[in-house]
Amino acid sequence: MRFKTIFPVVILVFHVNCIHAEFVTAGVVAVGSAITAGLLAGFNVFNCMINECCNDRWISTNFTDLSLTLRSKLYGQHLVTEPVLKHLKGHSRETPSKALVLSFHGWTGTGKNHVSRIVAEKMFVKGMKSKYVHLISATKEFPHEEMVSFYKDKLRDMIERAVKECSRALIIIDEMDKMPPGVVDTIKPYLDFYEELGGVDYRKAIFFFLSNTAGNDIAEKTMRYWNEGVARESIKLKEMEEVIRLPALNIKSSGLWHSELITKNLISSYIPFLPLERKHVKQCIKDSLLEKKIFKSESEIPDAVVQEIADELEYYPKDVQLFSTTGCKRIHQKIDFVMETV
Ligand SMILES: *[C@@H]1O[C@H](CO)[C@@H](O)[C@H](O)[C@H]1NC(C)=O
């Protein structure tokens, strides 16, 4: 800023003293602008050392740590870990052809939020607190069905601002199934194969849609495999995607009802979260006990304690008690309850 005020003085001096004033003036102006630009660039480099910027220092494309964490901290979800990693890696190439859109489906507590958070924590230095990670809760932001047209503008505005600020933004829309029908289609252009829209390139952005939609269909299919004695790990992504796609399109309260995001194939992949069995829940219980520092290491945790906490949860179907109806969700409260009484 200070340069601008100095220039007129410098220019004036040269005008008085020099015959070739104009020539020199041009030179001074050029040198001045170069210095200003240099200082600005220097300031930006310095600024981005301390404050979060939309660059590689703050947003990682090294997926080693993410992959280790997903493999060790997400249980019973073979159709999530590898596909999500593969999509993120593929999309992190120089210029992806479109925004990455992953639609997460499954019962509550199966890990949709857990995975979103792990991805945010591992990709962004500031994790969920990053100004480039946006968690949009449909129930909080879009509660009234009669306000669809207002919500369309609101959602469009949120997405535009997020990606303008950082082309590599991560936008998580939670409880998609609570989004009034039609609202989400407003973001269709940003998920499409356009190089730019209004001067903004949306292709590097990442979207996660989270919903319970098709959770029952996923559970039913998983149950059928179990009844036939087929290992859950042999369920293929392709067949589950088909199990999800139709309900998502046809159930009015899916957030994607009759959505062009589905019919125009703008959703990169449907990611099924299978209902969790008792053995998976037990692993979550152990993690929570360690997280709460109730025990120091896994080997110290008595099986009886894990068993007792697991027994506090509800299972479905009633006769075989196979799947936890709340997955790993209510474990923290159950731990508090059980540890209080021992
Ligand atoms: C990625 O991260 C891992 C662990 O954090 C590190 O060992 C590895 O060298 C990194 N790879 C690259 C290419 O930077």
Side-chain angles (χ1 to χ4, degrees):
M1 285 299 151
R2 203 165 279 169
F3 277 97
K4 283 187 186 147
T5 54
I6 293 172
F7 281 147
V9 180
V10 175
I11 291 163
L12 192 70
V13 171
F14 274 102
H15 261 295
V16 173
N17 292 330
C18 279
I19 308 163
H20 302 296
E22 274 168 28
F23 182 72
V24 176
T25 307
V28 170
V29 170
V31 170
S33 330
I35 291 173
T36 314
L39 279 180
L40 267 179
F43 174 73
N44 270 342
V45 169
F46 180 66
N47 181 42
C48 291
M49 304 270 280
I50 307 166
N51 296 311
E52 188 180 31
C53 287
C54 182
N55 61 22
D56 285 342
R57 173 164 168 30
W58 296 92
I59 308 173
S60 166
T61 49
N62 178 346
F63 295 102
T64 314
D65 217 18
L66 173 63
S67 132
L68 285 173
T69 309
L70 283 180
R71 283 179 191 146
S72 62
K73 288 282 172 273
L74 180 71
Y75 304 114
Q77 302 298 6
H78 72 287
L79 296 179
V80 178
T81 308
E82 300 311 319
V84 167
L85 281 169
K86 208 167 142 199
H87 277 291
L88 288 172
K89 281 182 193 165
H91 183 256
S92 73
R93 280 176 321 213
E94 270 311 298
T95 39
S97 57
K98 72 182 281 308
L100 177 64
V101 188
L102 299 181
S103 195
F104 293 175
H105 296 263
W107 277 358
T108 173
T110 47
K112 304 182 297 287
N113 273 293
H114 188 45
V115 168
S116 309
R117 274 165 205 279
I118 292 175
V119 170
E121 297 298 334
K122 297 300 169 189
M123 282 188 75
F124 294 80
V125 171
K126 299 194 117 184
M128 288 302 290
K129 293 201 186 78
S130 164
K131 57 184 174 182
Y132 310 130
V133 174
H134 305 266
L135 177 62
I136 302 173
S137 157
T139 36
K140 200 170 128 236
E141 304 285 349
F142 311 102
H144 306 296
E145 200 155 318
E146 65 280 5
M147 294 175 71
V148 166
S149 61
F150 170 71
Y151 288 160
K152 283 183 176 177
D153 291 343
K154 182 171 164 181
L155 182 61
R156 190 184 302 130
D157 195 51
M158 282 172 143
I159 307 281
E160 280 184 3
R161 254 187 298 140
V163 182
K164 235 177 241 169
E165 195 178 9
C166 181
S167 61
R168 293 157 74 180
L170 168 62
I171 297 159
I172 304 164
I173 305 186
D174 193 13
E175 303 186 279
M176 264 294 279
D177 40 334
K178 306 285 175 1
M179 187 85 94
V183 172
V184 80
D185 267 357
T186 186
I187 61 172
K188 173 176 165 266
Y190 311 123
L191 309 185
D192 218 328
F193 293 81
Y194 302 120
E195 279 181 24
E196 63 169 66
L197 281 169
V200 180
D201 184 353
Y202 289 86
R203 294 174 299 170
K204 286 185 182 161
I206 300 174
F207 292 81
F208 291 166
F209 297 158
L210 280 51
S211 74
N212 297 337
T213 306
N216 289 343
D217 306 79
I218 294 169
E220 231 168 71
K221 183 115 186 163
T222 313
M223 185 82 200
R224 210 175 312 145
Y225 272 91
W226 184 82
N227 278 330
E228 290 165 9
V230 180
R232 148 194 195 107
E233 288 73 23
S234 56
I235 303 175
K236 298 273 182 295
L237 182 62
K238 199 157 176 13
E239 52 184 328
M240 272 302 180
E241 282 197 297
E242 277 157 28
V243 166
I244 296 168
R245 199 173 174 274
L246 277 182
L249 189 61
N250 294 322
I251 296 174
K252 189 153 184 187
S253 61
S254 77
L256 290 165
W257 181 63
H258 291 181
S259 171
E260 284 197 89
L261 303 191
I262 296 182
T263 57
K264 297 258 177 4
N265 295 316
L266 296 180
I267 293 178
S268 316
S269 186
Y270 301 89
I271 306 290
F273 286 69
L274 309 185
L276 296 180
E277 295 175 17
R278 184 182 278 258
K279 65 177 179 201
H280 305 123
V281 171
K282 282 182 171 175
Q283 287 173 296
C284 294
I285 292 173
K286 285 182 187 167
D287 280 350
S288 299
L289 285 168
L290 292 176
E291 208 178 289
K292 282 173 165 275
K293 301 199 166 46
I294 296 173
F295 296 98
K296 285 197 195 70
S297 70
E298 195 169 330
S299 57
E300 278 180 25
I301 305 175
D303 276 342
V305 169
V306 178
Q307 194 72 35
E308 194 180 343
I309 298 165
D311 286 345
E312 284 294 317
L313 299 167
E314 276 179 38
Y315 297 87
Y316 176 91
K318 282 276 168 273
D319 51 346
V320 285
Q321 304 258 314
L322 181 60
F323 301 135
S324 161
T325 53
T326 48
C328 285
K329 192 161 191 168
R330 300 178 58 216
I331 284 174
H332 274 271
Q333 292 154 261
K334 296 300 179 191
I335 288 178
D336 292 341
F337 175 72
V338 169
M339 298 317 285
E340 188 89 341
T341 53
V342 289

